[in-house]
């Protein structure tokens, strides 16, 4: 065993006659990689054999599709499973399948290392089976660092650079690993000679606090505000107490990007909730009325949901200086980690203003919005109102629950009805907005925290994409979890409803059945085939009892909820033009026209009527 690999401890030790694959696994272990998500194939046989030789100290999680491996590697970091996510896939089709999940990690700034098998070096360039130009294929997703292993002596420096770059830049890196080299004898200690490298696996320090003068300028900008708004994103996740303290000091209302949901306690009256297309009306009003804006760890891209340019003086904090000043014309940009930067800012701000009319207005708007959401959830539907499922779940969520959310109408109902508490963990595909992310996220979260309950919120479109297949993965592993509770809610409305509403409100065209309608699948029965538990909801009277049973079950549960496809999903700022186009879609013979009218478009729109700001 070489000296450079003993830093990981006995669990990362190399076997007596190590191969290149053994060396890769051992060196990755020294960087904190102990779990690999993937699917086997002959292009990675050397690596899976090396994992087997660790006798369980490194864990291979076999998913049903390589796309899931990419999503799960991203979620592994998001849910605190480790500092780095890792996906291991075979050559050709496996490498191609992986890309979508890796782009989720890249766009959400999660450090992930992809290990991709490749054609044997002796066959490269000959048109061999599954031979794909992987360096070209991965050039974008792994732009920060991408390399092919061509010699055993490269392992140490390639693994070190891939891990260090992924962590430092919070992005995806990839190593292309030809099959024949994986079984070559390892070279743990490259020669001290020309053309070789002696690299370190010691972690790099990270930037912490911006210069004092810049912090002082930020405090001067914010101190003069009478109506302060904060926008927090995933960069603030480690600074919950500091976000609360600075919000109190500034008398601010706080809106959250979806990836920053757990940075605040959503039960607080000054927390307005999600911002953006699926956000809340109070968050829209917060931004519309503020005169100061503090952005912490967020790069939410919908520019129309920020204040009008010139309306508010703004400060932004982000660990990555390249992300500053991209969405709003900020005056002071502070490059630093959220927690120590906020602490430094607190020291400069001085005492707070105490209770203000602005904060009281924010609280009033938030309270009114929540009452409206309660009323909307209780409205009758055909057969079940999807908002009722989320509103009722919110009242029953365990304090330590893990939440995994898919892209679509489920995202909207989650953003508007689930009041995330500090002890919870929740995430989703926040920037790629990919359907099919929730089940891989749920699996990864459960492996990171097998002793905590989990709830996955999924639409029927996403469930049909990969959810029904990954339920097989749940069935494979659930008995190994200390807490078997793994609840999957499927909103079964037989419609790609989010896209249908986009077509109505932006195109003025009715729902297109050939494109939008989905087969009606008995998801609960599929769960029972797999030895899990299934529940069917086709009446609102069943909702509360089903949630109670599911959240106390002794095994994973799939809830097949038959919900109304005509349930109105409106943005917090529903324009006259959007209303006109939606009405035009109904008049043009939308197949859901009766349901839309029955659901009360006029009365629902009235709840979005702008409030007059108190001066």
């Amino acid at each position: 065993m070489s000296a450079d690999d003993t830093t990981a401890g006995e669990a990362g030790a190399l076997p007596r006659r190590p191969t290149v694959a053994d060396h890769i696994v051992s060196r990755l272990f020294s960087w904190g990689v102990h779990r690999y998500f993937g699917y086997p194939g002959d292009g990675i046989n050397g690596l899976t054999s090396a994992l087997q030789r660790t006798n369980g100290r490194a864990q291979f999680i076999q998913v049903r599709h390589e796309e899931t491996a990419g999503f799960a590697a991203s979620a592994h970091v998001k849910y605190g499973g480790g500092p780095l996510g890792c996906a291991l896939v075979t050559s050709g089709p496996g490498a191609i399948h992986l890309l979508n999940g890796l782009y989720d990690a890249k766009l959400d700034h999660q450090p992930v290392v992809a290990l991709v098998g490749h054609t044997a070096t002796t066959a490269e360039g000959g048109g061999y089976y599954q031979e794909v130009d992987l360096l070209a294929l991965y050039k974008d997703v792994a732009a920060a660092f991408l390399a092919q292993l061509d010699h055993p002596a490269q392992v140490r420096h390639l693994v070190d650079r891939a891990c260090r770059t992924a962590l430092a830049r919070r992005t995806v890196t990839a190593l292309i690993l030809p099959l024949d080299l994986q079984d070559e004898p390892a070279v743990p200690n490259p020669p001290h000679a020309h053309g070789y490298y002696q690299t370190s696996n010691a972690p790099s320090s990270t930037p912490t606090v911006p210069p004092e003068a810049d912090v002082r300028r930020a405090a001067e900008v914010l101190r003069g505000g009478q109506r302060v708004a904060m926008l927090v994103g995933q960069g603030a996740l480690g600074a919950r107490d500091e976000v609360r303290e600075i919000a109190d000091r500034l008398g601010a209302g706080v809106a959250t990007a979806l990836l920053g949901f757990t940075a605040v306690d959503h039960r607080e009256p000054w927390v307005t909730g999600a911002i953006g297309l699926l956000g809340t009306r109070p968050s829209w009003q917060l931004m519309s009325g503020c005169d100061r804006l503090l952005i912490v760890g967020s790069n939410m891209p919908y520019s129309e949901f920020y204040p009008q340019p010139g309306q508010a003086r703004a400060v932004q904090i982000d660990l990555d200086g390249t992300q500053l000043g991209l969405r709003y014309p900020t005056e002071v940009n502070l490059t630093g980690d959220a927690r120590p930067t906020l602490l430094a800012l607190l020291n400069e701000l001085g005492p707070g203003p105490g209770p203000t009319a602005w904060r009281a207005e924010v609280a009033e708007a938030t309270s009114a919005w929540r009452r409206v959401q309660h009323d909307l959830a209780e409205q009758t539907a055909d057969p079940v109102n999807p908002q009722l499922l989320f509103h009722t779940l919110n009242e029953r969520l365990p304090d330590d629950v893990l939440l995994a959310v898919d892209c679509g109408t489920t995202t909207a109902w989650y953003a508007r009805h689930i009041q995330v508490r500090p002890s919870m963990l929740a995430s989703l595909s926040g920037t790629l907005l990919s359907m099919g992310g929730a089940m891989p996220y749920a699996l990864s979260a459960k492996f990171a925290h097998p002793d905590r309950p989990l709830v996955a919120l999924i639409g029927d479109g996403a469930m049909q994409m990969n959810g029904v297949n990954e339920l097989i993965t749940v069935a494979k592993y659930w008995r190994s979890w200390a807490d078997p509770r793994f609840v999957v809610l499927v909103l079964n409305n037989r419609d790609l409803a989010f896209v249908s509403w986009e077509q109505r409100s932006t195109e003025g065209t009715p729902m297109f059945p050939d494109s939008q309608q989905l087969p009606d699948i008995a998801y609960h029965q599929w769960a029972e085939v797999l030895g899990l538990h299934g529940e069917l909801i086709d009446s609102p009277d069943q909702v509360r009892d089903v949630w109670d049973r599911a959240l106390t079950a002794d095994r994973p549960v799939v809830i097949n909820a038959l919900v109304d496809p005509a349930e109105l999903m409106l943005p917090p700022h529903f324009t006259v033009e959007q209303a006109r186009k939606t009405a035009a879609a109904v008049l043009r013979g939308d197949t859901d026209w009766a349901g839309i009218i029955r659901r009360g478009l006029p009365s629902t729109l009235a709840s979005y009527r702008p409030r007059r700001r108190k001066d």
Side-chain angles (χ1 to χ4, degrees), residues 524-541:
H524 60 300
Q525 293 180 358
W526 171 232
E528 291 169 351
V529 168
L530 296 173
L532 312 179
H533 185 59
E535 294 274 6
L536 174 67
I537 294 178
D538 56 10
S539 167
D541 298 336

Side-chain angles (χ1 to χ4, degrees), residues 157-171:
H157 76 258
L158 290 186
V159 171
D160 286 350
R161 191 173 177 193
C163 293
R164 191 180 308 281
T165 303
L167 288 166
R169 299 191 183 179
R170 299 196 62 81
T171 192

Side-chain angles (χ1 to χ4, degrees), residues 490-507:
V490 184
L491 296 185
N492 183 0
N493 58 16
R494 292 75 61 200
D495 179 18
L496 291 172
F498 190 96
V499 180
S500 294
W501 278 107
E502 285 181 321
Q503 287 181 334
R504 292 173 182 125
S505 63
T506 64
E507 301 293 327

Side-chain angles (χ1 to χ4, degrees), residues 52-117:
Q52 186 177 19
R53 287 191 288 270
T54 70
N55 295 317
R57 292 185 292 270
Q59 185 181 26
F60 182 81
I61 305 300
Q62 183 205 80
V63 294
R64 311 274 64 77
H65 192 282
E66 291 88 355
E67 180 186 52
T68 297
F71 278 120
S74 175
H76 177 78
V77 184
K78 289 184 175 184
Y79 288 97
L84 279 164
C86 189
L88 173 59
V89 301
T90 192
S91 56
I96 296 166
H97 287 162
L98 179 63
L99 284 172
N100 194 50
L102 292 184
Y103 271 106
D104 175 64
K106 179 177 181 175
L107 269 61
D108 279 354
H109 305 287
Q110 301 303 310
V112 168
V113 177
L115 304 179
V116 186

